[in-house]
Structures are given as structure tokens and as C-alpha cells.
Amino acid sequence: MGEKFDIGYVFTFFPKLAGTLQTTLIIVGGALLTSLIVGFLVALPRLYKVPVLQRLSQLYASFFRGTPILIQLFLFYYGLPEILKLVNIDVSRAPVLVFVILTYGLHTGAYVSETIRSAVASVDRGQVEAAYSVGMSGYQAFTRIVMPQALAIAVPVLSNVILALLKDTSLAFSLGVMEMTGKSQTLAALTNHFVESYISLALIYLVISMVLERLLIILERRLLRHESRAADPFPVFRRERFRRIRQWFTRERSVRLREEAQ
Amino acid sequence: MKLDPSFIWEALVKLLPVIPTSLLITAVSVLCGFVIGTVAAFIRIYKVPVLHPIASAYVTFIRGTPMLTHLLIIYFGLPLMIDALSSQLGLGFRSASIPMIDFAFIAFSLTAGGYMSEVVRSGLLTVNRGQIEAAYAVGMTTPQAIRRIVFPQAMAASIPNLSNAVIGMLHASTLAFTVSVVELFAKAQIVASTNWKFFEAYLAAAIIFWGLTVLIERVAVFLEKRVNSYNRGGVA
């Protein structure tokens, strides 16, 4: 099977695959948006211990984390039109992409809800009590006190979830969506250069996930400005290029402090 | 077409015989991955000269690309390499004689290795530096200290991550259908192809996976309690 290995094809496939990058990113973006909304909504009943809804959201998280994404994709693709037909909504003509985005959104939403839940739970109880004691309402305490602190804990985990989502989108081809993996399979079958096509595909994913990782780290730093400032003795030198100077200053200062202590 | 509950049961019964295939893929990939991951983790922790950048590149590559691409590259690339090698050496060996499932084993082991390496590494890093120094102080060699003192503690600390990795590989075993291995997902498609009740068949497969996942989670919680019983803190 396949022709002799030719490294040149890896480079000729590169731009062709990058042309379908858009579809992959649409899936990632759409699913991410869905998952953040769904995850937040699902996390709320468990945070506030709402009787019946709490059980339901537990069940939701358990199901979507307990079954493979591939099976979920097919379940939704075949099942959702049937279920919606019962309430007289016809979605059999809806594009596949909608099902794919919905499924990835719900799948990732389960992970997002768990992340939000654990992040909020790890904020000290005393913080909420202190907020109440200065007369904040429940909503104010949540948005002003708990959420910023929870975000600090949740963001690194969420970046992992987003990167996992990017890699999971490679399965959308199984429903016939022409994203990068689907395109690479078509190219491979056309030219009979399978390995080159998949190496090219892997390289593109590698580049995207590295770029995405960098972007998320930048975002993380931006979101956590307040955290670093508290620990940083020289907030003026927060820029990376001043790192050396800052280190020199802090070392100088700590040495002086130690001498004074003696 | 309406939902047919009796076919869910029927599909469930038909899917039962292929559960061992899925579990075998999971077990092989997790075990081989654990060995690969441990080696990679030690190479990265001890910064072994030449191997260190290679191990880092391996982990970055595996974690930065989808599992499906690993499987496809191995599935299409390995036979090319084997055939080229055997024709050059004049061996009569053909890659076509390798069973499909072996490609899944190799590819998934490599994938699991990349993820396991991070699990093992983070586990090793949580062990207090004083532990290994204490081991040296009572006269243990480095391998002894690692085997008897550091590794058991590292494993205890990384049970939650390990169970997540096992569940991840169990779910990933569904990808083996792309190289025509008949595991749970492929079997569900086969079962449904006779009467087009795909939804019921996938539901049955989902139920099995859900059950297996809950089982693995339970075992992990139980193990964690057992293993961490020595450091419960407090008095008595």
C-alpha cells in the first residue's frame, strides 16, 4: 500500500491542509463558546446544592466524561434528529457541522463544569463570609470576590481542556466533516502518499497547539496580573526584558535584608 | 423510525464478547506507555545528555498532535519501513502478515508513553527532596533509593492522574476502528448495520463505556485510600 516515501510531499500538502484549518478552528471556537456557557450553567446547581438539578448535572458530567467522544458524536448525529422529531422540530437538514459543534461543546462543557466547580470550591470559605459581612449580596460576593480568585485556579486547567478539544476535533472527519484530518485522508487517498500526508497533518496540529498554548499563557498572565503584583516587589519591571534587572535588584535587596537581620 | 429499547439490550448482549478486545488495547497501551513514560521521565529529570532533548521532543510531539495522527502514521509508515528493511536484508518477511491490532498496540503505546511521562514526572517531583537525601544517609545507592523510597511515594501521589490516563486510553481505544480492529465502537457499527438501528447500538456501546469508566474511577478511589493510609496525618 502506498508509494515510496517522498519528503517533498509533506511540504506540498502543507498549504493544502492549512486551507481547511478554518473549519477546524470554527469547530474549536464554536465548541468552546458552547462549552463555557453549558459548563457554567451546569456547575451552578452543584455549587449552590440545588436539590434535583444537582443530581442531573452530576449525571451529565459523568456521562460526558465517561464515554468516548467518538461514540458521543455518532449518538448525537443519529439520535438528536429522532428526539427532536418527537417535539416536531425537523433538523435532518441541518449541516453536520452543527451537530459536531454541539457534541464537542457538550463534551467539553462537562470538563469545564468540573473545572469551575473545583476552582470555586477551592476558594476559601472565609472569603465569601467576609464579603457577606461587609454587606455584599450573594451575586456581588460571587462576581467580585469568588470569581476572580476561582479564575486564577481554573485558567491553567481550562487551557489544557482547550488543547484537548483542538486535538479531539480530528475525529470530526468520521461524520464526514471536511476539516484537516478529513482533507488529509482525501489527499492521501488521491496521491497514494499516506505517511507524508499524515506527517504534514501532525506538524500542522503541532504548530497550532504550540501557538495556542503560548496565547493561553499570555491570557493567563493577563488574567492573573493582580496575583503577580502582590508577590512582585518591583511591579514597574514586570516586562520580560527587565527580568534580569529585577532579579539583580531583588537579590541585592534580599542580601541587604539578610545583613540587616544579622 | 422510533427508539427500540429491546434492540439496545440485544446490542448490549452482542457487544459483550468484544469488551476484552477494548480492554486488551487499553491494558497493553497503558502498560507499555507506563514503561516508555517512566524511562522518558527519568531521562528528563536527570537531564541525560543526548537523550534529554529527544525525550522532550517526543513528549511535545505526542502531546501536541492528535492520537489519530499517531495511529495513522504508524499504520501507514511502519509497513513501508519494515518492507524496505526486509527487502534490503533479503528476509522473506512481509508487513502484510502483521495483524492489524499490533499497529494499534504500537501507536497507542507511543501515545500513552507521551502522556504517562508527564504523569510520572509530576509524581516524582512531588516527592520531597529530603526523602532521597535520607535514603542516601542510611547508605542506599541511587537505584535503591528510587526503587524503594521515591517511586512508591510518587506512584501513590499520582493515582488520580494515572486513573485519568487509563480512562483516556480506554476511550481512545475506539480509534482503533480506523485501522479495522473490531473493538466496541466498530462492533456497534457492525451490529447496527443489519437493521440500521445505529442510535440504539451506539447507546449500548456508550453504556458499556460508561460502566467501565465508573468502575475504573471506583478502583482508583479505593486504591488511593489504601495507598495513602500511611500519611493520614493527625494523631493516633
Side-chain angles (χ1 to χ4, degrees), chain B residues 189-201:
Chain B
Q189 279 189 326
I190 294 168
V191 166
S193 61
T194 52
N195 55 5
W196 287 79
K197 286 177 180 164
F198 283 101
F199 183 59
E200 288 85 346

Side-chain angles (χ1 to χ4, degrees), chain B residues 69-79 102-104 106-108 110:
Chain B
T69 60
H70 312 154
L71 180 64
L72 291 173
I73 288 174
I74 292 289
Y75 180 64
F76 288 105
L78 210 58
D102 285 356
F103 292 111
I106 295 169
F108 290 171
L110 286 174

Side-chain angles (χ1 to χ4, degrees), chain A:
Chain A
M1 99 196 84
E3 303 272 324
K4 221 167 137 33
F5 186 78
D6 180 4
I7 191 84
Y9 276 94
V10 174
F11 302 109
T12 50
F13 285 150
F14 220 82
K16 284 178 184 167
L17 288 179
T20 50
L21 178 61
Q22 206 186 359
T23 318
T24 299
L25 291 183
I26 287 174
I27 299 174
V28 173
L32 189 61
L33 202 68
T34 320
S35 71
L36 286 176
I37 297 167
V38 170
F40 189 71
L41 288 179
V42 168
L44 281 178
R46 287 183 76 182
L47 288 173
Y48 288 103
K49 299 204 168 52
V50 184
V52 184
L53 291 178
Q54 188 189 0
R55 284 273 151 217
L56 281 178
S57 83
Q58 247 172 3
L59 198 70
Y60 162 81
S62 172
F63 177 77
F64 280 95
R65 282 154 47 95
T67 52
I69 177 73
L70 193 61
I71 287 183
Q72 286 166 20
L73 278 172
F74 278 81
L75 264 183
F76 272 79
Y77 187 55
Y78 286 102
L80 207 58
E82 304 289 320
I83 292 168
L84 289 181
K85 215 180 274 175
L86 296 180
V87 287
N88 284 324
I89 301 171
D90 186 24
V91 289
S92 52
R93 286 179 181 278
V96 191
L97 203 60
V98 175
F99 291 100
V100 170
I101 290 177
L102 190 68
T103 314
Y104 280 114
L106 289 174
H107 177 79
T108 313
Y111 288 89
V112 170
S113 85
E114 289 287 297
T115 312
I116 292 176
R117 196 177 62 86
S118 64
V120 170
S122 63
V123 174
D124 197 82
R125 183 91 196 134
Q127 298 282 332
V128 185
E129 283 163 6
Y132 286 147
S133 77
V134 296
M136 284 189 190
S137 66
Y139 175 75
Q140 280 176 328
F142 188 80
T143 51
R144 296 192 191 168
I145 308 295
V146 179
M147 203 145 85
Q149 295 185 50
L151 210 57
I153 301 159
V155 164
V157 187
L158 282 181
S159 347
N160 277 342
V161 170
I162 294 169
L163 288 173
L165 171 65
L166 169 72
K167 285 177 273 167
D168 276 346
T169 55
S170 63
L171 293 179
F173 86 95
S174 58
L175 288 184
V177 177
M178 212 22 135
E179 39 73 72
M180 280 200 301
T181 312
K183 183 76 182 172
S184 79
Q185 293 203 322
T186 321
L187 283 176
L190 275 175
T191 57
N192 241 355
H193 284 275
F194 289 91
V195 193
E196 295 90 331
S197 165
Y198 297 132
I199 289 176
S200 184
L201 176 70
L203 288 178
I204 292 180
Y205 271 113
L206 189 63
V207 171
I208 303 169
S209 55
M210 276 173 152
V211 170
L212 205 58
E213 200 179 355
R214 283 289 137 79
L215 287 177
L216 287 168
I217 287 174
I218 293 171
L219 178 77
E220 198 181 314
R221 288 222 187 105
R222 266 197 76 80
L223 284 173
L224 306 185
R225 297 197 287 275
H226 60 99
E227 291 280 312
S228 61
R229 201 174 295 160
D232 199 333
F234 292 96
V236 189
F237 297 133
R238 258 186 298 118
R239 291 268 193 76
E240 194 60 21
R241 59 190 157 130
F242 291 125
R243 208 186 54 192
R244 277 285 171 75
I245 308 172
R246 200 176 66 211
Q247 276 175 351
W248 184 75
F249 266 105
T250 38
R251 202 186 314 131
E252 190 81 350
R253 190 158 152 266
S254 58
V255 168
R256 211 183 306 134
L257 284 175
R258 219 177 298 140
E259 279 170 1
E260 277 170 13
Q262 287 166 356

Side-chain angles (χ1 to χ4, degrees), chain B residues 9 11 13 36 48 63 66 84 86 107 119 122 147 154 156 165 177 188 192 195-196:
Chain B
W9 176 251
V13 174
I36 299 172
V48 180
R63 283 165 49 94
S86 75
V119 171
S122 72
R147 205 175 56 239
F177 91 95
N195 55 5
W196 287 79

